[in-house]
Amino acid sequence: MNKNDEVLLDIIGMTHEGEGVGRVEGYTLFVQGALPGERVRARVLKTKKQYGYAKLLELVQASSDRIAPPCPIYDQCGGCQLQHMDYTAQLAWKRQLVVDNLQRIGKLEVAGAAGADAASASGTQGEGIRVLPTLGMEEPWRYRNKAQVPIGVTDGGLVGGFYARGSHRIIDMETCLIQHEDNDKVVATVKSLGRELGITAYDEETGRGLLRHVVVKKAFRTGQMMLVLVTNGRDIPHLDAWLGSIREQLPAVVSICQNINTQRTNVIFGNDTRVLWGNEVIYDYIGEVQFAISARSFYQVNPAQTEVLYGRTLEYAALTGKETVIDAYCGIGTISLFLAQHADQVYGVEIVPEAIEDARANAKLNGMNNVKFEVGASEDVIPAWKEQGITPDVIVVDPPRKGCDPRLLETILLMQPERVVYVSCNPSTLARDLRVLEDGGYRTVEVTPVDMFPHTVHVESVALLVMDVVTL
């Protein structure tokens, strides 16, 4: 197989990044934009020993799951990967992605692995893990409450949008179909005012220019909005005029902040944040729990599906009001406070000091006195709690994409809680960690995929594990 060869191939699967997988004479090719079940003509772009990459030239036979992507810049933008796939098919693919990882990486048995209906119906001990159908959205558009838009210059004009797939070239964007409409409006207004006032955009290559990113946060329940201008330096020319126009044109914005980042880095935020006008935080709710959201605090970007995700977490925790719960990656306390409504005592641990400050403030905001937060690594703090006589009935983990620290898994096996609830944003590390816990005496009962990010390849999951001696 050589570069620029044109080939006809059948697409037999899809990678976790959304590329179609086909084979020609035993050689594997990855084809962006191709769907399973399709026959395509493609041009080989790049070859390696075992596999290569090809560009889709023609759909010889299209999948019944293929639809026309509604976004006009979908082919250029790297923000979504699955808009050309019917939403029901997206949900089925995401469930299968979880199943494949559990089997391939975790070497775990999945009940009714061939189909969701069989998986839902089965599940007695010894028949494998139940993997339920993916919980999707009734309206899978306009769901994001946060926009992080890189700013650049094209043809001498200020632009802002998403990076083109696989590059740092900015595609200017007026509307994003997975963003709340109000976020689009704020970004467009800030860009327009910036052009009028002659605000310069940051240039990654030279390190010059002022405006790096525009970050917008919207609280769906309260309607409050926050605007964060990420700048390459502290001084903003025409600041009063800019702030005045933003306030006049965007009355929903109750907080305007500046974050200063002068580092030559791809990281969005720097360490210095100040309020230019208005409030330091905005407020939103998950269920009945209120949260204060600051410029840099982490908050789930899909509020509707966050309630679904946390609802399933609460269901798996099976709290009666008497339990002690440990939340091993508590962040700003979102899951901890959600669970504290139904537990006797909740202990949250997080390695980021600012997140713990936010978590304590959120507990106080809700008048919750049965939650204790501590800064540190879970694998250090939880054993110290054990020495103090704290023995959890349930441990909840919601780790980053890299999964749980091996020492934390050892700590869980040492603590032996009756239940472990694992909230995952990465099916491969979920499968790896479940294998470790199963080898240590736990049994994975059920996994529920949750579609937090429709039209992208990301899938969250919630898994329930119990001590093998416990029968449900």
Side-chain angles (χ1 to χ4, degrees), residues 8 24 41 132 177 291 314 321 333:
L8 195 67
V24 180
R41 190 168 59 84
L132 301 186
L177 298 180
F291 292 94
L314 181 62

Side-chain angles (χ1 to χ4, degrees), residues 127-165:
E127 290 186 346
I129 303 166
R130 295 191 297 267
V131 180
L132 301 186
T134 307
L135 298 178
M137 299 187 73
E138 267 186 51
E139 180 49 59
W141 300 100
R142 299 293 189 181
Y143 58 82
R144 286 186 64 94
N145 59 15
K146 180 173 76 170
Q148 297 184 147
V149 178
I151 301 298
V153 174
T154 299
D155 298 328
L158 202 67
V159 297
F162 277 109
Y163 291 122
R165 189 176 280 119

Side-chain angles (χ1 to χ4, degrees), residues 11-14 20 34-38 63-65 85 93:
I11 304 300
I12 57 173
M14 200 158 71
L35 294 176
E38 293 187 327
S63 166
S64 59
D65 295 328
M85 190 181 203
W93 175 74

Side-chain angles (χ1 to χ4, degrees), residues 25-65:
E25 298 175 3
Y27 186 77
T28 299
L29 285 171
F30 300 117
V31 186
Q32 184 69 49
L35 294 176
E38 293 187 327
R39 171 164 283 195
V40 304
R41 190 168 59 84
R43 178 182 293 116
V44 178
L45 299 175
K46 185 178 179 182
T47 60
K48 296 193 174 185
K49 188 174 181 181
Q50 302 291 339
Y51 61 91
Y53 296 89
K55 179 181 180 180
L56 178 62
L57 297 178
E58 180 189 358
L59 280 171
V60 178
Q61 183 177 333
S63 166
S64 59
D65 295 328

